[in-house]
Amino acid sequence: MKDINKLIIANWKMNPQSIKEVETIFTNVSKSIKNIKNTDIVICPPFPFLFLKAKIKNKFIKLGSQDVFYEKDGSYTGEVSTSMLNNFGVEYILIGHSERRSQGEGNEIINKKIITTLKAKMFPIFCIGEKERDNNGFYLSFIKQQIIEGLSNITKIQVKNIVIAYEPIWAIGANATREATSLEFIETRIYIKKIIADLYDIKTANEIKIIYGGSVNPLNARIFLEEGNADGLLVGRDSLNPKKFCSIINLASK
Ligand code: PGA
């Protein structure tokens, strides 16, 4: 059965710069979310700050990492394994974020990372999304290829543990050209479900969580959650601001 909890994920990216700031954000978020319902909150800080989550004892906040490497151990300078992340209580891992894809990470590597994450019994948050929309729908083929190649060799049982985050690049970050509409999310969600149904089956397509990311803020969060029927949100900039992040959480928790 589909888990109906909404998933609100914070992607802190390469922020903030000090332990003190991390503690402030964790503490302020934790203080404001004592009674939330039907909502899972995942915070993905940079690797060096993962250990700080242990200081806050809030059962609603789960820990995520922003990346992982696909090998178990060995001579891979600069990389981090699932076992290492496991030590810190990491449960979710962002994979294939557009900011990593833009550094050269392709679908094949992303697929390996997803498989490694699933084997480690952690949840991959598989990020997909087009650079721009065209009127001929070429962007749909791009999304389709990301999904098919990213999910290569992943079984029906495994795929249910993957969260798909649709993040159109044109709507992400300070350089976003505009915000996405709930209709654009709905259309893409239907398309993603169709691809999953073709690869697996309709039941699987209905069970898999599809969340939205790209300039999510307290004003548009409701649109994606209610009108767009998103299973959750991936929040960048506004997740660093406890007040804004908590108001997004409260909208999901209603
Ligand atoms: P943004 O980032 O909310 O700052 O647009 C979202 C993301 O890149 O995950």
Side-chain angles (χ1 to χ4, degrees):
M1 223 189 60
K2 182 169 169 163
D3 161 17
I4 52 146
N5 277 12
K6 297 277 184 197
L7 192 56
I8 305 297
I9 303 173
N11 176 11
W12 287 0
K13 308 191 179 184
M14 204 171 72
N15 304 294
Q17 301 307 312
S18 69
I19 289 179
K20 203 161 170 270
E21 288 166 282
V22 175
E23 284 179 337
T24 308
I25 304 176
F26 266 143
T27 314
N28 287 340
V29 171
S30 176
K31 266 199 249 156
S32 322
I33 49 164
K34 294 231 153 49
N35 290 312
I36 54 158
K37 280 186 292 199
N38 304 326
T39 310
D40 290 319
I41 298 153
V42 180
I43 296 187
C44 306
F47 291 136
F49 297 143
L50 287 170
F51 77 101
L52 287 162
K53 158 70 174 64
K55 284 199 179 178
I56 56 149
K57 305 263 179 278
N58 188 311
K59 63 176 182 189
F60 294 112
I61 302 177
K62 297 179 178 182
L63 200 54
S65 76
Q66 296 177 18
D67 191 23
V68 69
F69 194 53
Y70 51 79
E71 294 290 354
K72 263 185 26 221
D73 54 28
S75 309
Y76 304 103
T77 303
E79 301 292 0
V80 166
S81 71
T82 48
S83 312
M84 291 173 190
L85 297 173
N86 205 9
N87 278 282
F88 293 96
V90 167
E91 293 175 66
Y92 291 80
I93 303 181
L94 288 175
I95 298 176
H97 190 281
S98 57
E99 286 154 15
R100 295 213 55 81
R101 290 180 188 262
S102 71
Q103 307 243 15
E105 196 167 296
N107 293 336
E108 203 181 316
I109 289 178
I110 289 163
N111 174 247
K112 285 187 187 181
K113 290 184 174 183
I114 294 177
I115 291 174
T116 305
T117 302
L118 290 166
K119 279 194 185 146
K121 306 243 171 310
M122 292 154 133
F123 301 108
I125 301 155
F126 173 29
C127 303
I128 56 167
E130 75 282 1
K131 209 176 255 163
E132 55 195 4
R133 285 204 172 206
D134 56 282
N135 292 332
N136 299 317
F138 292 130
Y139 71 94
L140 294 172
S141 321
F142 180 78
I143 289 174
K144 185 173 182 179
Q145 192 176 357
Q146 285 186 327
I147 298 174
I148 291 176
E149 293 180 10
L151 296 182
S152 168
N153 295 317
I154 290 170
T155 67
K156 192 157 75 173
I157 299 196
Q158 286 177 314
V159 81
K160 290 176 190 166
N161 292 318
I162 298 177
V163 175
I164 297 184
Y166 172 57
E167 294 209 300
I169 298 172
W170 47 266
I172 293 180
N175 296 326
T177 46
R178 64 176 175 88
E179 287 185 11
T181 64
S182 59
L183 190 61
E184 283 169 324
F185 174 70
I186 291 169
E187 283 167 358
T188 316
R189 197 196 56 211
I190 293 170
Y191 184 66
I192 295 169
K193 280 194 188 284
K194 166 86 175 88
I195 298 166
I196 301 292
D198 289 345
L199 287 176
Y200 301 94
D201 54 28
I202 292 178
K203 190 167 172 278
T204 308
N206 282 332
E207 281 177 359
I208 202 160
K209 278 195 165 171
I210 303 175
I211 66 172
Y212 174 76
S215 297
V216 171
N217 59 47
L219 296 176
N220 64 20
R222 192 195 60 78
I223 296 171
F224 293 109
L225 289 170
E226 288 176 17
E227 292 172 18
N229 205 14
D231 293 311
L233 301 167
L234 179 46
V235 190
R237 281 157 297 162
D238 279 7
S239 69
L240 289 156
N241 177 322
K243 214 168 150 210
K244 290 184 178 176
F245 188 54
C246 290
S247 66
I248 294 169
I249 292 168
N250 286 329
L251 286 166
S253 162
K254 260 191 196 155

